[in-house]
Amino acid sequence: MIIEINPHNIDKRLIEQAVSVLKNDGVIIYPTDSVYAIGCRLKSKKGLEKLAKLKDIKLNKANFALIFNDLSMLSDYVKQFDRATFKLLNRSLPGPFTFILEANSIIPKLFDSKKKEVGIRIPDNKIVNEIINLLGEPIATTSLHDEEDELLEYFTDPYEIYQRYDEKVDLIIDGGIGQLYASTVVSCIDGEIEIIRQGIGELEL
C-alpha cells in the first residue's frame, strides 16, 4: 500500500495511519532529507526481525541507525557525550547526517547483539518527524538501496519503490522525489570527530 503525504500540507490522518502500522510491528518506507529509508518501531522485535530479513542479514549483525525527532530522546539510548559533541549535533541537526555515538546498555538488548555504537539521525523532513513525534519512540532505519540499478545506488522515485516493494513492506509513503545521495556519516566516538562517509551533508567543524 502506498499513501501520498504532502510535506508542505501534512494530513494528520495519514500520519496516524503510518504510526498505526508501526505500532502493529509493521515495516514502512518513508522519505528523509536525503534518500528514502526503510524502518520499523525500535522496540518492536517482530518489526526488527522483518527489517533484518528484508536486508537479508541476521538481526544481531544489523547495523541499523535510529531516527529521532529531537535531541531530547538521545539520552535513553546513548551514553553521555562531551560538550563539543553536543554542540556539533546541535548545530548540524536536523540535517542529512548520521552521527555514530556510544550506545548504552539498551541497544544490545534490542538487537540481540554486543553493539557498542549506534548511528543516530534527526532528518530535516516534516513527514518523518511528525511520525516519530506521534509514535513517541525512535524508528530503526536503513537507507533503501537499489540493487538492480547499475547507475544509481538509491531509489529516488516513489512509484518505482512501490513497484519493487509493495508486497514486501506494510506501507510506502510517497513524500516526493528523493535525493540521489545518502546522509554524511560522522563518528563521534571518544570525542574524536571523523567523517566516515561523505554524503549530502556538509559538516561545519
Side-chain angles (χ1 to χ4, degrees):
M1 177 171 56
I2 187 168
I3 59 175
E4 184 177 344
I5 300 180
N6 182 346
H8 306 294
N9 184 23
I10 293 177
D11 187 333
K12 297 288 187 181
R13 292 170 300 177
L14 297 177
I15 297 295
E16 290 170 358
Q17 184 178 347
V19 169
S20 177
V21 170
L22 290 168
K23 285 184 175 179
N24 285 284
D25 305 315
V27 172
I28 69 171
I29 292 173
Y30 54 93
T32 71
D33 53 359
S34 56
V35 297
Y36 268 81
I38 182 170
C40 67
R41 185 170 64 90
L42 175 60
K43 294 178 182 177
S44 167
K45 184 54 67 81
K46 285 183 179 179
L48 289 171
E49 288 172 348
K50 282 160 62 173
L51 186 59
K53 188 175 181 180
L54 279 167
K55 297 293 291 183
D56 198 25
I57 52 176
K58 292 183 178 180
L59 180 56
N60 62 3
K61 300 293 184 183
N63 204 21
F64 302 141
L66 309 184
I67 288 195
F68 301 84
N69 67 342
D70 62 53
L71 289 172
S72 66
M73 274 188 172
L74 291 189
S75 60
D76 291 335
Y77 303 96
V78 303
K79 291 183 179 178
Q80 191 170 359
F81 43 82
D82 61 27
R83 186 164 180 79
T85 300
F86 174 78
K87 286 183 175 180
L88 177 64
L89 268 60
N90 199 42
R91 68 172 174 265
S92 303
L93 300 171
F97 297 95
T98 300
F99 288 99
I100 299 174
L101 301 172
E102 288 186 72
N104 65 17
S105 59
I106 292 175
I107 296 300
K109 293 175 184 176
L110 291 169
F111 290 97
D112 295 331
S113 70
K114 297 180 180 179
K115 282 171 71 76
K116 295 181 179 179
E117 302 170 358
V118 65
I120 67 101
R121 287 214 62 202
I122 303 178
D124 188 11
N125 181 283
K126 291 181 179 178
I127 295 172
V128 69
N129 287 341
E130 288 278 354
I131 290 171
I132 294 169
N133 186 51
L134 186 58
L135 182 64
E137 67 177 276
I139 294 175
T141 189
T142 184
S143 299
L144 192 64
H145 289 263
D146 186 350
E147 310 291 353
E148 296 181 17
D149 194 314
E150 295 181 2
L151 296 177
L152 300 178
E153 187 176 356
Y154 302 100
F155 288 97
T156 58
D157 185 349
Y159 181 69
E160 188 177 350
I161 294 172
Y162 171 72
Q163 288 182 310
R164 196 83 59 85
Y165 280 91
D166 182 43
E167 295 182 0
K168 297 180 181 179
V169 300
D170 301 284
L171 181 69
I172 298 165
I173 297 173
D174 176 356
I177 297 297
Q179 299 283 351
L180 287 170
Y181 302 103
S183 62
T184 294
V185 179
V186 184
S187 173
C188 299
I189 302 301
D190 297 327
E192 296 291 326
I193 308 302
E194 179 185 1
I195 296 177
I196 304 297
R197 179 188 71 195
Q198 182 63 54
I200 194 171
E202 294 292 335
L203 192 68
E204 295 180 16
L205 296 174

